[in-house]
């Protein structure tokens, strides 16, 4: 006799058939049932720049369109006319899960075009502080995208969204780079070995939301583009903050380029 616990049976993983079936089913909390369509701008900028979001929201010509509840923390959705087009913007908070919730509510309300803008850690030393970076794909090292897409290492960006971001920056006369980002849930687990592997896999920057946002946009069939800017650096032997949180002039410039991209995205999808 032994008091040893019997070995547990192997835990069954979801099969591909299970995952396909899941994606075909509505969720218990379907956003369209929770948030009926409303009077919202067709294009919205998700700006991971809270001070800039509220500063521009307080200026003449801006107004609060409505409150976004996102279940956890109510926040204002601002709007104004930009280049003759009604464009909204809000701060969605950090991280893929929370940002996905904000996107879901906006899409249910009627938003069909989304541009995201924010900072990213750079993995290449030539990406200086404030350098704009258009996201063309994201390495999926997070959890949210797996609830919207079948497993795959990378999600490709919406080509129309990429074009809108590129053309907005070209029109503004701004130099920029484009390429792959690494999306992670764990900002404090960006180890030297993992950073090197992600560089070898073609990632130039790292952030916490891109893969999730691309997945939600694809699943809900809305257009999406993203502009990041070089912030802190993981390209050297030690982390360099480069004082990016206090670079208010960079934040403001990036915000308006994203607003330009939202207008351009509308023009591209209307034709």
């Amino acid at each position: 006799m032994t008091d040893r616990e019997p070995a547990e049976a192997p835990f069954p993983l979801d099969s591909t058939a299970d995952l396909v079936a899941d994606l075909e089913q509505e969720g218990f909390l379907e956003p369209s049932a929770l948030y009926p369509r409303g009077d919202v701008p067709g294009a919205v900028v998700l700006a991971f720049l809270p001070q800039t979001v509220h500063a521009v929201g307080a200026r003449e010509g801006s107004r609060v369109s409505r409150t976004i509840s996102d279940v956890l923390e109510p926040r204002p959705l601002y709007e104004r006319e930009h280049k003759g087009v009604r464009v909204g913007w809000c701060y969605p908070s950090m991280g893929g899960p929370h940002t996905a919730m904000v996107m879901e509510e906006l899409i249910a309300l009627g938003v069909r075009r989304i541009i995201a803008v924010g900072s990213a850690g750079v993995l290449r030393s030539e990406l200086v502080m404030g350098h704009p970076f258009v996201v063309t794909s994201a390495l999926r090292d997070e959890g949210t995208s797996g609830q919207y897409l079948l497993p795959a290492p990378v999600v490709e960006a919406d080509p129309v969204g990429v074009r809108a971001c590129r053309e907005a920056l070209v029109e503004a006369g701004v130099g920029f780079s484009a390429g792959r980002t690494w999306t992670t849930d764990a900002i404090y687990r960006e180890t030297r070995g993992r950073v090197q592997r992600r560089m070898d896999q073609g990632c130039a920057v790292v952030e916490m939301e891109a893969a999730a946002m691309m997945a939600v946009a694809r699943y809900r069939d809305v257009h999406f583009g993203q502009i990041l800017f070089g912030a802190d650096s993981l390209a050297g032997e030690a982390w360099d903050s480069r004082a990016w949180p206090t670079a208010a002039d960079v934040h403001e410039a990036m915000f308006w380029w994203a607003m330009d991209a939202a207008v351009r995205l509308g023009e591209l999808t209307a034709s």
Side-chain angles (χ1 to χ4, degrees):
M1 295 290 292
T2 178
D3 58 0
R4 189 175 169 185
E5 291 286 333
E8 293 185 4
F11 193 82
L13 299 176
D14 294 338
S15 68
T16 300
D18 291 332
L19 297 174
V20 170
D22 285 344
L23 292 176
E24 293 174 347
Q25 297 176 25
E26 289 190 347
F28 276 100
L29 301 177
E30 192 61 25
S32 59
L34 294 172
Y35 308 108
R37 282 186 174 265
D39 180 24
V40 293
V44 166
V45 171
L46 296 180
F48 295 87
L49 310 166
Q51 290 80 16
T52 304
V53 162
H54 299 306
V56 176
R59 293 177 192 167
E60 184 177 356
S62 302
R63 71 180 186 91
V64 175
S65 179
R66 65 183 301 129
T67 297
I68 300 297
S69 70
D70 78 20
V71 178
L72 298 177
E73 181 184 357
R75 64 197 61 225
L77 171 65
Y78 298 103
E79 68 169 80
R80 67 186 292 131
E81 187 173 290
H82 182 66
K83 295 188 173 181
V85 177
R86 184 185 178 199
V87 182
W89 70 94
C90 68
Y91 170 58
S93 192
M94 290 180 64
H98 204 169
T99 299
M101 292 167 65
V102 172
M103 284 185 69
E104 286 276 30
E105 180 173 347
L106 291 170
I107 293 166
L109 289 169
V111 175
R112 308 306 299 169
R113 300 176 299 281
I114 298 172
I115 296 291
V117 62
S119 63
V122 304
L123 308 183
R124 300 199 319 234
S125 57
E126 66 269 24
L127 297 177
V128 299
M129 169 63 195
H131 184 75
F133 185 89
V134 176
V135 176
T136 61
S137 65
L139 191 147
R140 297 166 60 186
D141 202 8
E142 42 66 63
T144 304
S145 65
Q147 310 304 313
Y148 290 87
L149 301 175
L150 290 175
V154 169
V155 55
E156 299 293 331
D158 170 15
V160 183
V162 171
R163 180 181 170 187
C165 293
R166 286 179 177 270
E167 292 184 359
L169 292 170
V170 169
E171 183 178 351
V174 179
F176 64 93
S177 301
R180 177 170 298 165
T181 184
W182 163 30
T183 305
T184 176
D185 286 331
I187 189 171
Y188 294 118
R189 293 303 303 149
E190 297 167 347
T191 64
R192 174 50 54 197
R194 192 179 294 261
V195 167
Q196 185 59 57
R197 292 197 301 276
R198 297 300 174 255
M199 292 171 65
D200 294 343
Q201 292 159 336
C203 299
V205 297
V206 57
E207 42 61 55
M208 299 180 68
E209 300 88 15
M213 292 188 291
M214 290 182 198
V216 173
R218 182 178 297 183
Y219 186 79
R220 296 297 182 188
D221 194 26
V222 300
H223 286 290
F224 174 80
Q226 185 172 20
I227 307 173
L228 297 167
F229 67 88
D232 57 317
S233 175
L234 289 76
E237 289 303 314
W239 175 66
D240 182 358
S241 74
R242 303 202 291 194
W244 68 267
T246 60
D249 55 340
V250 173
H251 297 188
E252 175 102 5
M254 292 296 303
F255 174 84
W256 290 111
W257 293 332
M259 293 285 280
D260 293 345
V263 172
R264 184 67 184 130
L265 185 56
E267 294 168 348
L268 291 172
T269 55
S271 59

